[in-house]
Amino acid sequence: MSSSYRPPRKPGDRQRPKLGNWLIDLTPKFFDRHLEQVGLKQLKWLALLLLIVSVPLVITPIQVWQQGAVAVFLILLGQLVVQAENEESSPEISQYYHLFMIWLSLVTTLRYLYYRLSYTLNFDGWVNSIACLLLLAAELYAILTLVLAYFQTLKIKERQPVNLSTIPEAEWFSVDIYIPTYNEDVEIVRKTALAALACDYALGKKKVYILDDGRPERYPEGDPRREKFRARREQIRQMCQELGCIHMTRNNNEHAKAGNINTAFYKTDGDLVLILDCDHIPSRQFLLHTTGFFYDPKVSFVQTPHWFYNPDPFERNLLTDGKIPVGNELFYKVLQKGNDFWNAAFFCGSAALMRKTHVLEVGGIAVETVTEDCHTALRLHSKGYKSVYYDKIMVAGLAPETFSSYVGQQVRWARGMAQILRLENPLFNPKLKLTLAQRICYFSATSHFLYGYPRLIYAIAPTLFLLFGINSVQGLGLETLAYAIPHILLSLSANYIIYKQVRFSFWNEIFEFAMAFQAGWVTMLALINPKMGSFNVTDKGVSVNKRTFDWQSMRSLLLVTLVVVASLVAIPYWLLLRPEDWQAVLVNTMWSILNLILLVAALLVGFEQPQIRSAHRLQRRLNVVISSNDQVVMGETINISETGALISLESWPNLADEVEIEVMGDFTASATLTARIIRISPYNDTETHLAVDFINTTPAQLDALTLVLYSDVREWYSQKRQYIDRPMASFGFLATSLRRSLRDIKQPSRKKVRKQVQTIGQLYWDGHFFSGVATELGVTGLRLELEDTKAVSSNRILREHDWHTMRTVKPLVGLLLNRDGDELSSSRFVAEITSVEEQPNGKIAIELNFPDKFKQRQDIKIKQLLQVL
């Protein structure tokens, strides 16, 4: 996997050829120099001129071989532009490449569409006609989506925070932090509440509210859920009292999360409201980086990215190892910044700061749809207010653990966006006071989730030909490819420039195939009856313990896959019975093979892979101090969670199996914990890796660790992606998904790690002492190598039946340990034999553990001994 992706090339890595030098340096600078003084009116005329020039390029008819030559030239030109952009360090010049590729892609797309409408529509019989119209509708939808996305991303807006240090704290806005919760685990809510309280801000200007919607009263007496919610509510109340939050409830559950927030609006008095999903843990910088934008009185809300520290089903089940961007990065890293340029950034329900007076002016959070966040933003923009999208990850949330939970989340978004499209009609509704650009951005967002049926049509169209001879495209063959391939490849190249670090090639198809049936069904129902459906809470923190296949979510897609496989089986019959149709058979075969690879990868998203670790590891580099008796070792975490860490050390330390570790955050937070070493291994000549589990953690220690891990963060490691897309490598990675998903699951290795010592020891067995040397000693056990099988002061000899008893019974024995060989009574222990093995040198090595029931009595003596050895 590591060889398939590479970091962006740095300028000057290699000598450019003359043509590349002309393209990279001279052409953009020429346009930059001549367009610098051009105003908006002149740009409109230039755009009109470009459109006029493009018309002949779209409609001019030429011979097939000529179109093939043009296709090759355009594809090579597109590759040259992409290569030039990859080597460019100037964002301004990269923008020219992006705009040029958009124009080139649109020209080839419109040329393909002109050819498609003029020569390939097949109305020979009603069956062919229906198939032709369905495929054409799918293609028109795809082209419309492409054009809308090009518009949204014409210009990416990067923002910097407003410096609050220039404003007196007395003039800072007062902020209420809302954490709505319904049925989530109390520990999940606690982490978010702790971090919200730790957010840096002016003293007395911030309050944290837990909006508890988990009403036991909604269930009748005798229903076990009533007692469950009653107990949970009491836990939430006690947590708020302990931490210093304000516990807020209401006497109904109307309009779910939106209603919960709207109720709180009228009970709190802050100028601004920070809304956090109960699993969205904020970093301490959040308010300092976002409140400054509100000194522009037209700003209604500031949205920041949603980021998830655990792998979603696509990451975990396709085993991407974190090297493939997740589904939401395309939206938060590109589309939201493009929307922001047009003052059309969306409110996303959490990780957003809002001006309460503006929201109340539009009636509060919208309740008419299940995507109340986007709907609210639409109304605020319609009022003429501004939005801000600030691209800095400052919340760490939980992604759905299972594919079924992911489906539930996506279905809600699909239904809500279709409801907005149906109810508000953002593109044409004259009641909405939106700019044309805002209308286009909202139309693009609300129509996006209609992809379900078009995606399925793409999968079924070639199978209809191969199985039944139903021809959706008249004359499908090499001529059609000469028009279609430039359209496809140049659109990929244009998108590559802007998406190369947030969406890898072919992965969008996987997302759409996996959700095609569910998205198609709910959007159709929402368009027919927009009032259908209710808000559902996405399950978070679910644990997956074994491999299972989500048949219920994947059964329809599995049927489509079987049909595609059947169509490939029919290919030999075509070649034998209709060899004259070889071109159409070839194109449909390649199309079906591509579909099959994508479908198999999409099905594997529903093949749940078990979670190997009990807690999700964060790839954070944090300084740690390891203390063991009188020894202190400095290190740095490679990854860390609430239950353990992998630590990088510059030396090979001789440590006991239990140590004290202080973990330090990026600013001032720290946590001190007891850890058990489970593995130590050399990484290279200068680095050692130490794996530890945190043990016996108290609630106070867990709270401190929560703040270190999630709050005391300067910059989350996913803020900047190291890898960029390589289309062929990305496709190859997808093609090998099945092999990866079926490979054996390896549990992290664990072995006893103890301090290396050389001290005299005596084993008390069957009334006799047997002399040996303790070579390893730790808090939990030791290794004793017997010097002789004969007792110290008698003729008793250890024989085979003794070894058998030790191995099978694992008895408790007495043990004497001392460094100098005297004062044995001061080092007397009780230990349990766990294993006996014969060494190559003939000596017997015995592994012993110190039983937990004697831990309190023996612990101090063991640690004293470790300190002097």
Side-chain angles (χ1 to χ4, degrees):
M1 175 63 191
S2 60
S3 62
S4 299
Y5 299 93
R6 57 180 171 82
R9 190 192 305 276
K10 295 179 181 179
D13 281 355
R14 63 182 179 84
Q15 188 67 32
R16 296 172 182 150
K18 290 184 178 180
L19 180 60
N21 185 67
W22 170 80
L23 182 65
I24 294 169
D25 294 327
L26 302 181
T27 305
K29 291 178 181 178
F30 170 82
F31 283 105
D32 196 28
R33 185 167 59 251
H34 287 80
L35 292 177
E36 189 175 11
Q37 303 301 323
V38 174
L40 181 61
K41 185 176 181 180
Q42 289 81 3
L43 280 175
K44 291 180 180 178
W45 284 107
L46 283 173
L48 180 61
L49 177 62
L50 188 63
L51 179 63
I52 295 172
V53 171
S54 301
V55 171
L57 300 177
V58 171
I59 66 174
T60 301
I62 54 179
Q63 298 295 319
V64 176
W65 70 268
Q66 293 172 321
Q67 175 61 30
V70 169
V72 171
F73 169 77
L74 291 176
I75 292 169
L76 291 176
L77 177 60
Q79 289 301 305
L80 187 59
V81 173
V82 167
Q83 179 185 343
E85 196 277 334
N86 267 340
E87 298 178 0
E88 183 53 60
S89 59
S90 168
E92 291 79 13
I93 294 179
S94 290
Q95 176 71 4
Y96 288 126
Y97 291 131
H98 179 218
L99 294 175
F100 175 76
M101 283 304 301
I102 287 177
W103 172 76
L104 197 62
S105 171
L106 288 175
V107 168
T108 54
T109 295
L110 292 174
R111 181 165 178 78
Y112 165 74
L113 185 59
Y114 179 78
Y115 163 80
R116 183 87 168 80
L117 295 173
S118 302
Y119 302 103
T120 65
L121 300 183
N122 185 12
F123 297 113
D124 183 14
W126 66 271
V127 176
N128 283 334
S129 298
I130 292 174
C132 172
L133 291 174
L134 287 174
L135 180 59
L136 179 63
E139 289 186 271
L140 290 174
Y141 172 81
I143 291 172
L144 175 63
T145 301
L146 180 70
V147 173
L148 291 173
Y150 282 163
F151 179 83
Q152 278 185 281
T153 58
L154 273 179
K155 179 70 174 178
I156 300 299
K157 189 166 188 174
E158 302 285 356
R159 289 189 183 265
Q160 297 299 320
V162 176
N163 186 4
L164 286 180
S165 64
T166 62
I167 303 171
E169 287 192 1
E171 298 178 15
W172 288 17
F173 296 100
S174 58
V175 179
D176 294 327
I177 302 179
Y178 290 176
I179 305 175
T181 179
Y182 174 64
N183 64 352
E184 297 83 2
D185 188 274
V186 176
E187 287 306 311
I188 292 177
V189 184
R190 184 185 183 91
K191 291 179 185 178
T192 304
L194 280 167
L197 289 164
C199 282
D200 292 332
Y201 204 60
L203 188 64
K205 292 276 188 174
K206 175 191 71 177
K207 293 180 182 178
V208 178
Y209 295 86
I210 307 297
L211 310 186
D212 182 11
D213 231 14
R215 294 175 56 250
E217 298 84 6
R218 67 179 304 189
Y219 301 106
E221 292 285 354
D223 191 321
R225 290 175 296 181
R226 184 182 179 97
E227 176 57 28
K228 175 184 175 182
F229 275 80
R230 187 206 61 76
R232 180 187 177 277
R233 171 155 286 186
E234 178 59 23
Q235 288 179 303
I236 291 286
R237 188 194 64 77
Q238 291 179 3
M239 181 201 75
C240 290
Q241 186 176 9
E242 175 193 349
L243 299 182
C245 303
I246 301 171
H247 185 220
M248 187 173 289
T249 63
R250 57 180 180 147
N251 57 11
N252 61 69
N253 291 102
E254 288 182 3
H255 305 304
K257 177 183 173 182
N260 196 6
I261 293 171
N262 286 337
T263 300
F265 276 153
Y266 293 100
K267 295 182 179 180
T268 64
D269 54 7
D271 303 315
L272 308 177
V273 173
L274 169 58
I275 299 175
L276 296 169
D277 283 350
C278 68
D279 61 296
H280 278 186
I281 310 172
S283 75
R284 61 186 297 171
Q285 310 169 76
F286 197 106
L287 296 179
L288 297 183
H289 279 252
T290 54
T291 53
F293 291 109
F294 287 91
Y295 288 97
D296 179 348
K298 297 291 286 183
V299 170
S300 287
F301 65 90
V302 178
Q303 180 66 56
T304 68
H306 292 187
W307 177 73
F308 306 108
Y309 58 87
N310 64 315
D312 68 13
F314 287 86
E315 290 182 273
R316 194 183 71 253
N317 298 337
L318 293 179
L319 302 172
T320 68
D321 196 27
K323 294 180 179 179
I324 304 294
V326 296
N328 66 338
E329 288 194 30
L330 172 66
F331 177 71
Y332 286 110
K333 287 295 182 184
V334 176
L335 293 179
Q336 272 283 62
K337 291 195 280 190
N339 290 338
D340 197 26
F341 175 75
W342 302 111
N343 187 31
F346 304 148
F347 166 45
C348 301
S350 178
L353 194 61
M354 312 192 78
R355 193 189 302 268
K356 187 166 67 176
T357 55
H358 285 189
V359 180
L360 291 176
E361 190 178 332
V362 297
I365 303 295
V367 299
E368 292 81 4
T369 61
V370 294
T371 46
E372 74 290 338
D373 39 20
C374 183
H375 202 172
T376 303
L378 174 69
R379 291 178 172 174
L380 289 169
H381 284 133
S382 185
K383 280 283 188 178
Y385 292 128
K386 295 180 182 178
S387 60
V388 169
Y389 178 69
Y390 177 50
D391 180 29
K392 182 176 177 65
I393 297 173
M394 292 186 292
V395 296
L398 279 170
E401 301 281 1
T402 63
F403 182 66
S404 59
S405 297
Y406 181 88
V407 167
Q409 182 188 74
Q410 295 290 315
V411 160
R412 175 166 60 84
W413 293 347
R415 176 184 290 118
M417 288 302 193
Q419 287 173 324
I420 295 173
L421 181 63
R422 174 74 164 77
L423 292 172
E424 298 286 4
N425 187 11
L427 189 60
F428 299 110
N429 187 351
K431 296 180 181 179
L432 298 175
K433 306 303 180 184
L434 301 173
T435 65
L436 178 60
Q438 288 174 326
R439 290 180 182 275
I440 292 173
C441 290
Y442 274 103
F443 178 70
S444 177
T446 54
S447 63
H448 165 73
F449 284 94
L450 303 178
Y451 62 75
Y453 291 124
R455 177 54 59 191
L456 292 173
I457 290 170
Y458 282 134
I460 294 171
T463 67
L464 292 177
F465 176 81
L466 293 173
L467 287 176
F468 308 110
I470 299 173
N471 202 345
S472 307
V473 182
Q474 184 175 357
L476 179 62
L478 300 182
E479 178 183 6
T480 307
L481 288 184
Y483 286 90
I485 288 179
H487 150 60
I488 295 171
L489 294 185
L490 287 174
S491 64
L492 289 175
S493 296
N495 282 326
Y496 172 87
I497 288 178
I498 198 73
Y499 298 147
K500 59 178 175 278
Q501 290 180 307
V502 299
R503 173 62 55 85
F504 286 2
S505 301
F506 306 102
W507 281 82
N508 187 61
E509 287 73 11
I510 302 301
F511 288 122
E512 291 187 358
F513 266 132
M515 289 297 305
F517 275 97
Q518 293 89 343
W521 177 250
V522 300
T523 51
M524 180 183 70
L525 292 179
L527 290 174
I528 295 172
N529 182 4
K531 295 183 179 180
M532 184 181 296
S534 60
F535 186 94
N536 61 293
V537 178
T538 305
D539 292 332
K540 301 290 181 69
V542 178
S543 180
V544 182
N545 299 318
K546 61 180 181 178
R547 278 177 169 162
T548 56
F549 185 72
D550 190 347
W551 293 97
Q552 184 172 357
S553 299
M554 286 297 189
R555 56 191 176 189
S556 299
L557 197 63
L558 184 61
L559 179 62
V560 173
T561 306
L562 293 175
V563 172
V564 173
V565 172
S567 71
L568 294 175
V569 174
I571 292 170
Y573 296 96
W574 276 95
L575 298 178
L576 288 172
L577 301 177
R578 297 283 295 273
E580 66 276 12
D581 292 332
W582 69 270
Q583 290 190 31
V585 172
L586 175 64
V587 173
N588 282 290
T589 299
M590 292 190 299
W591 192 355
S592 291
I593 291 173
L594 174 63
N595 281 332
L596 182 61
I597 293 172
L598 299 177
L599 283 164
V600 169
L603 285 172
L604 291 174
V605 178
F607 186 47
E608 301 288 0
Q609 300 287 337
Q611 297 167 348
I612 297 176
R613 299 187 184 277
S614 59
H616 304 291
R617 288 290 174 101
L618 305 173
Q619 309 302 313
R620 290 200 62 196
R621 293 280 184 169
L622 300 173
N623 292 325
V624 297
V625 178
I626 303 171
S627 304
S628 177
N629 301 311
D630 58 346
Q631 190 177 7
V632 176
V633 180
M634 306 294 293
E636 184 183 57
T637 62
I638 297 171
N639 57 60
I640 186 170
S641 72
E642 295 102 306
T643 60
L646 181 64
I647 301 170
S648 171
L649 306 175
E650 293 183 354
S651 60
W652 186 287
N654 188 13
L655 297 170
D657 52 344
E658 285 188 13
V659 295
E660 295 295 313
I661 293 183
E662 183 182 10
V663 186
M664 289 164 278
D666 291 342
F667 294 98
T668 60
S670 66
T672 301
L673 309 107
T674 303
R676 178 165 295 155
I677 299 175
I678 60 172
R679 186 175 62 256
I680 184 168
S681 55
Y683 182 71
N684 55 39
D685 293 342
T686 60
E687 186 177 358
T688 300
H689 285 180
L690 187 73
V692 301
D693 280 346
F694 301 137
I695 60 173
N696 304 324
T697 49
T698 65
Q701 287 176 316
L702 286 175
D703 286 350
L705 186 58
T706 292
L707 293 178
V708 169
L709 296 185
Y710 304 104
S711 169
D712 211 55
V713 181
R714 192 178 305 277
E715 181 176 282
W716 279 109
Y717 47 83
S718 288
Q719 183 69 40
K720 299 181 181 69
R721 278 277 177 185
Q722 178 183 1
Y723 300 102
I724 64 173
D725 182 21
R726 292 176 60 197
M728 293 310 298
S730 180
F731 182 74
F733 186 65
L734 281 174
T736 57
S737 297
L738 183 61
R739 174 172 57 82
R740 288 196 314 279
S741 295
L742 296 178
R743 71 188 181 192
D744 291 337
I745 300 171
K746 295 182 180 179
Q747 294 285 346
S749 61
R750 290 171 176 262
K751 62 180 181 180
K752 292 182 175 68
V753 177
R754 295 184 288 235
K755 190 172 185 178
Q756 304 298 304
V757 298
Q758 286 290 321
T759 188
I760 297 170
Q762 291 189 11
L763 180 74
Y764 186 72
W765 171 259
D766 194 26
H768 301 274
F769 284 101
F770 296 87
S771 181
V773 175
T775 58
E776 297 177 5
L777 178 63
V779 176
T780 58
L782 78 158
R783 181 181 181 89
L784 183 70
E785 294 184 1
L786 293 183
E787 295 288 330
D788 195 348
T789 58
K790 183 180 177 182
V792 173
S793 56
S794 72
N795 293 325
R796 174 73 160 89
I797 296 176
L798 294 171
R799 303 187 185 277
E800 187 59 39
H801 70 273
D802 294 300
W803 309 132
H804 177 73
T805 302
M806 290 179 186
R807 290 189 181 102
T808 55
V809 178
K810 301 185 185 304
L812 292 176
V813 295
L815 187 67
L816 299 176
L817 291 175
N818 190 272
R819 180 178 58 178
D820 301 319
D822 55 5
E823 299 180 9
L824 297 180
S825 60
S826 65
S827 302
R828 188 183 301 271
F829 302 96
V830 176
E832 179 186 20
I833 295 176
T834 59
S835 67
V836 178
E837 60 183 31
E838 186 175 351
Q839 300 289 89
N841 59 8
K843 292 184 177 181
I844 301 297
I846 302 177
E847 290 283 341
L848 302 105
N849 281 347
F850 296 120
D852 288 339
K853 61 183 176 181
F854 300 113
K855 183 175 177 63
Q856 189 173 7
R857 184 170 36 166
Q858 298 187 155
D859 224 18
I860 296 176
K861 290 196 296 180
I862 295 170
K863 291 179 179 178
Q864 288 174 344
L865 195 58
L866 281 167
Q867 190 168 357
V868 299
L869 290 177

